[in-house]
Structure formats: C-alpha cells, structure tokens
Amino acid sequence: MWTKFPLSVEICHGVAKEFATPVWLYDANTIVDRLKLCQVFDTVRYAIKANSNLAVLSLLKEHGAVVDAVSAGEIQRALMAGFVGTSEVPGVVYTADVFDDEALALIKKYSIPVNVGSPDMISQLGEAGIKVPLTIRINPGFGHGHSRKTNTGGDLSKHGVWHEQLSQCVQKAKELDIPITGLHIHIGSGADLEHLALVCDAMLECSKVLGSDLRYISAGGGLSIPYRKNEEDAVDVGEYFKLWDETRQKIEKQVGHKIRLELEPGRFIVAESGFLIAQIRAVKKMGENLFYLIDAGFTDLVRPAFYGAWHEISVIARDGRPLDEVAPVIVAGPLCESGDVFTQEEGGFVVTRNLPLAQVGDYVVIHDAGAYGATMSSNYNSRFYAAEVMWKENAAKLIRKRQSFEHLIANELLQMRRY
Ligand SMILES: *Cc1c(COP(=O)(O)O)cnc(C)c1O
C-alpha cells in the first residue's frame, strides 16, 4: 500500500539530460495514492501552497479533491485548474488571517467561501458587502509543529481566531447577516494521536457555540510524512479519521443533523512524490571535511536552511559505475551564502551525511521534496526557478519550463526603458 516511486538510474539520467539540472520530478501515482488514503474523509481539500503546479492541481481534481487557497494567486490557480465544486462542497475555499484587495475582489467576483483567521476579516467582508459562507479557523490555545516556525496554535501563533473570541465572531457575522457554517482547526498533530485527541476535544467545545448553524468541520492539514524512513512511522490515516469521526458523531448528536468532515492535507499528498535532482559541480576538502557542491541551492529547496529539515539524499553515478565506498560528506549548494547547505540541523549546525564517494558530474537526488519545495523557491542570486517534470504513464512530462533570464527581468525591463 505505502508505495514509493523507485527512482531508477535510467529515469534520473533521462530527466537530467532532457531537462537539465536542477530539476524537480514528481511521480503522479504517488500523489494519487496518497490522495486515495485521505479519501476516507468526506472531503479532501488539498492545500495548494504545498505544491501549486497546475498539472498537480489538475491531477488532484481529476481524482476528486477540492482545494484550499491562501492568496489571490492561489485562487487564480485553482480557478484555472477548474475547481468548481458545489454549494455543499465548494471547489475553492480561501483560508488566511488577512485579506488583501486582490483576494477580496476575487472572493466577491466568484463567491468564494472564506475560512476566517481574524475577527477583522468579518468586518472587512461586511464593509465590502460580501456575503459568502464562512468558517472560522480556531486557535484552541495550544499548538503542535515540527519546528518553532511551523507551530500553528497557542498564544505565540498568529494563526486563527482565539478560541475565547469565537462567540464574538458569531455575533458579528449575525449582525452582518453573513452565515457561519463551519469550524476549522489546523494544528498539525502529525502522527501524534494523543495530541489529536486534544484537538478533537477543542473542536467539540467550539461546536457548542455555533449550534445548529454548523454544517461542516475541518480537521485541517498537518499530517506528517516519514522523512526518515527508518526512524519515523507514516501517519495512520485510518486512526486519524477514527478520532475525527467520533468527534463528528458527537457534534451530530448535539446539532441534530449531518456534519460533513473535511481534511486539508498538503504535505501528506505531495511530499513523497517529489525528487530534486541536482548535479555535483565540485568535490572539495575543507580540512578533514569532504564537500559536494551541487547545482541546486536553498533557492530551490529551502527546508533544510529554513527549518533544519532532514531529507533523504542519494547519489547516482553519471556513468552507471557502482558506488560502493561511503564517506561522511557535507552537501552544499552554489549560492553566495554560507547557510546554503542541505546537510544541516535546526539552528544552522552543519553536519555530515554518509554518502557514496562521488565525482563531479554525478547526480545528487534529494527525496521527499514534492511539498514546500518548488513553491518555496526564490530568485535570490538571480537564480532561475528549476523546471518541474511529472512522471506519468511511464513517461516524463514537462509541467513547468525552467525560468528564463528574460522572464526573470521582464518587469524590470519595462521600468528601465523609462530612464
Ligand atoms: C498549510 C496549510 C495546510 C496544509 O498543511 P500541511 O502541513 O502541508 O498538511 C492546511 N490548511 C491550512 C489552513 C494551511 O495553511
């Protein structure tokens, strides 16, 4: 059941040669497989920000997902991918703690339901004369997360409506005649089911404030994936569902009608489908330390530099020769920035990884890079966004071209001509 795409030497060589490195490769089957695991929930609302490529969105739409958008750009991607939905299950929901004018205009134009993350958003909808169905994202007063930067609850988190202010929000929406139909908690318990039980209790408590107006609850996202395959367990979606389903049934008893149960995963659906394929451009020694300098940097995959995130790394010889001998290596990128290292721990501590001894021209593959990889890339150092490729029906399909210099500077060029 727990399929993982076995990236072969042939596929790696083929993709690297055809599309140049660095390049993202996503396996379509893995994405669909993970979506299906989640579909024990009534609705799977994919969080676009994890991987927003239109081909990924289309694939998920084809297999029955709807989406969560967090910006005007993501709303437009969702519309372009054709997420329509029904009045029961909207194709796109906007979740954020603030609006900007562009998002507000799109929400008005396309009547997009909003998952509200601050009381001010309700007032602003009122001022703009927008009456879309709302859900409230609750901060239950506690959080969970794999690093300080991913903790999404508690009094140091900026996300959601503080649980004690829920009834105030309900009152405000009533005055404006805006319906509140759902509740949402995105904490990210990962595989921690004990913690999840606390989240479910918080949802049950909050549901009492809404009473019979409540139509659906969302369990949010935050399902982890086993980045360290030998040490971490995959989250048991069945168990995850069971806890939420019990909560749903309790709420149904309270309100006297059916409650729809949504899941809002991002990482879980796309992370394991993705590989970042890069090429070794220099092998050098710094004192006793051996460095592989590759042509991908934190401008491509920022997670190690940003969170100290651990990704599996493998080496594939460019000429197919066997790679037997292993040594501790530091894997770093091309940027003029000392933090541009893939083997580092939280806090920026550079560490070594045991990898095969390799040469310039061999490939370094960074695994589980399908989520928060390409979407978090930047143009720092005027580096171009890498190409994205999808492996589907036994063939590599280009789903985003590598960015060109012309594209990179297009908006500046217009300004320059004015001088
Ligand atoms: C980011 C986000 C998600 C997805 O989180 P994952 O950890 O990738 O599952 C879901 N819901 C909201 C509101 C988010 O901001």
Side-chain angles (χ1 to χ4, degrees), residues 161-288:
V161 169
W162 189 248
H163 56 110
E164 288 163 338
Q165 288 177 9
L166 177 58
S167 47
Q168 225 173 297
C169 286
V170 171
Q171 192 53 39
K172 193 178 247 180
K174 273 222 171 86
E175 283 161 18
L176 293 165
D177 194 27
I178 301 177
I180 296 182
T181 56
L183 290 175
H184 173 281
I185 300 187
H186 170 68
I187 291 295
S189 302
D192 183 349
L193 294 174
E194 246 169 71
H195 184 265
L196 183 61
L198 293 177
V199 177
C200 289
D201 287 346
M203 178 65 91
L204 187 60
E205 250 347 274
C206 290
S207 71
K208 291 171 185 157
V209 179
L210 247 81
S212 65
D213 290 341
L214 193 62
R215 294 285 151 186
Y216 77 97
I217 55 171
S218 171
L223 281 77
S224 55
I225 65 118
Y227 283 100
R228 297 173 199 252
K229 298 279 177 286
N230 302 330
E231 294 168 34
E232 293 165 349
D233 290 329
V235 49
D236 184 338
V237 184
E239 282 298 310
Y240 208 89
F241 172 74
K242 216 173 101 192
L243 279 170
W244 274 111
D245 191 37
E246 283 165 17
T247 308
R248 177 242 302 268
Q249 287 175 22
K250 286 180 197 158
I251 296 175
E252 282 177 342
K253 272 209 190 102
Q254 268 174 39
V255 299
H257 58 242
K258 281 247 167 284
I259 294 289
R260 194 159 44 78
L261 180 55
E262 284 200 2
L263 185 67
E264 208 176 72
R267 177 189 321 281
F268 184 81
I269 303 239
V270 287
E272 290 171 285
S273 77
F275 301 84
L276 177 60
I277 302 173
Q279 192 172 37
I280 300 176
R281 307 300 303 189
V283 175
K284 62 179 181 181
K285 275 218 146 173
M286 295 297 192
E288 286 304 302

Side-chain angles (χ1 to χ4, degrees), residues 45 47 49-50 68 70 95 115 137 159 184 186 188 220-223 264-268 371-372:
R45 186 170 296 287
K49 72 178 193 284
D68 181 63
V70 298
T95 294
N115 184 20
R137 174 175 180 174
H159 293 301
H184 173 281
H186 170 68
L223 281 77
E264 208 176 72
R267 177 189 321 281
F268 184 81
Y372 307 105

Side-chain angles (χ1 to χ4, degrees), residues 320-348:
R321 71 185 189 286
L323 298 170
D324 315 313
E325 212 182 324
V326 170
V329 182
I330 296 168
V331 180
L335 306 171
C336 289
E337 190 74 44
S338 47
D340 186 25
V341 174
F342 289 103
T343 50
Q344 63 176 296
E345 292 174 346
E346 199 178 353

